Amino acid sequence: MTIRVIIVDDQAMVRAGFAALLAAQSDIDVVGEAPDGRQGVELALRAHPDVVLMDVRMPEMDGLAAARELLDPGGSQETESYRPKVLMLTTFDVDDYVYEALRAGASGFLLKDAPPADLIAAVRVVAAGDALLAPKVTRRLIADFAQSRPAPRRKRALRLKGLTPRETEVLELIARGLSNQEIADHLVLAEQTVKTHIGRVLAKLDLRDRAQAVIFAYESGLVTPGDR
């Protein structure tokens, strides 16, 4: 199935470069570009892409506000019926805008100077419904901001009680950045069993994907920055 993508970035050359790279892939179709967040939201609602590549810092409306508008469950009727996957693009490896975007429901972020193969892989990973949390910088980003600007933990801690001990263990390992296979090896389980546990964790905690699961684990106090 072809992955429909739009690119939202205020730099024309960046848009053109990313568009050329992605359009050269047989399974990716670039269906539009926009120079700011406002036009990006309007384009997304018209073109209905599977993935929105969204720059963090832009004029008119920045990437965070645009991501919130597209992903906020309490948004307009238009956004209520359509929610794409949003992959944030940033020049900086630590940016509180990116953390806030993850909290809003974005599926991850990628540095603009990442190798071309990483961009292509990121689009495919996010389109498949996974979260882009492999780079260590992402885990550091989430840990740093969960520590410096924690959300109220009481309600989140109560929600943890609805998980089984095994589900809690799986959530903790997700938050530490382990892949499904690494979690399976660590717990001596089949990878399919791990996927089942992850699905139950997301359903019980009403979370969108692994990105939100990691943030939830930090904000509930299950995992704290610096833990081993």
Side-chain angles (χ1 to χ4, degrees):
M1 190 172 69
T2 302
I3 303 167
R4 293 166 57 82
V5 177
I6 67 169
I7 301 165
V8 185
D9 193 294
D10 62 330
Q11 296 182 326
M13 290 189 68
V14 170
R15 295 197 307 273
F18 285 174
L21 176 65
L22 294 173
Q25 311 308 307
S26 60
D27 60 336
I28 298 175
D29 186 12
V30 178
V31 296
E33 303 174 23
D36 61 63
R38 170 54 57 202
Q39 292 184 54
V41 170
E42 293 169 355
L43 175 61
L45 294 176
R46 288 197 310 272
H48 280 204
D50 302 300
V51 177
V52 177
L53 289 181
M54 183 83 75
D55 188 21
V56 171
R57 299 171 184 269
M58 292 180 289
E60 299 298 326
M61 175 187 278
D62 64 29
L64 173 59
R68 279 182 174 150
E69 188 155 330
L70 284 173
L71 300 172
D72 181 8
S76 67
Q77 263 191 322
E78 285 181 297
T79 56
E80 185 67 27
S81 60
Y82 166 68
R83 289 199 191 98
K85 301 293 192 303
V86 176
L87 178 62
M88 305 302 295
L89 299 169
T90 179
T91 308
F92 309 99
D93 64 353
V94 174
D95 192 319
D96 58 340
Y97 278 99
V98 180
Y99 172 73
E100 294 296 342
L102 289 172
R103 290 184 70 179
S107 294
F109 86 97
L110 190 70
L111 296 179
K112 283 188 177 182
D113 61 358
D118 286 4
L119 174 64
I120 296 165
V123 168
R124 290 171 176 154
V125 165
V126 168
D130 225 334
L132 192 69
L133 287 171
K136 290 180 180 178
V137 65
T138 309
R139 297 196 294 273
R140 188 184 79 225
L141 175 94
I142 293 171
D144 286 350
F145 284 93
Q147 182 181 47
S148 63
R149 289 168 33 184
R153 292 187 172 186
R154 190 173 180 182
K155 289 182 180 178
R156 288 172 173 78
L158 287 174
R159 284 165 65 189
L160 277 175
K161 292 184 179 180
L163 302 181
T164 67
R166 178 62 86 192
E167 289 164 354
T168 302
E169 198 170 14
V170 168
L171 175 59
E172 181 179 350
L173 294 174
I174 291 173
R176 298 194 189 288
L178 274 66
S179 67
N180 288 358
Q181 186 58 62
E182 289 168 337
I183 294 172
D185 293 343
H186 184 82
L187 298 178
V188 194
L189 296 172
E191 186 173 357
Q192 186 56 49
T193 303
V194 170
K195 290 180 180 178
T196 300
H197 284 310
I198 292 172
R200 288 174 180 163
V201 167
L202 297 180
K204 286 183 177 181
L205 298 177
D206 192 25
L207 301 173
R208 180 184 173 114
D209 55 26
R210 292 173 78 105
Q212 290 196 331
V214 172
I215 291 168
F216 183 94
Y218 278 104
E219 292 187 338
S220 67
L222 177 64
V223 177
T224 57
D227 278 355
R228 296 290 180 187

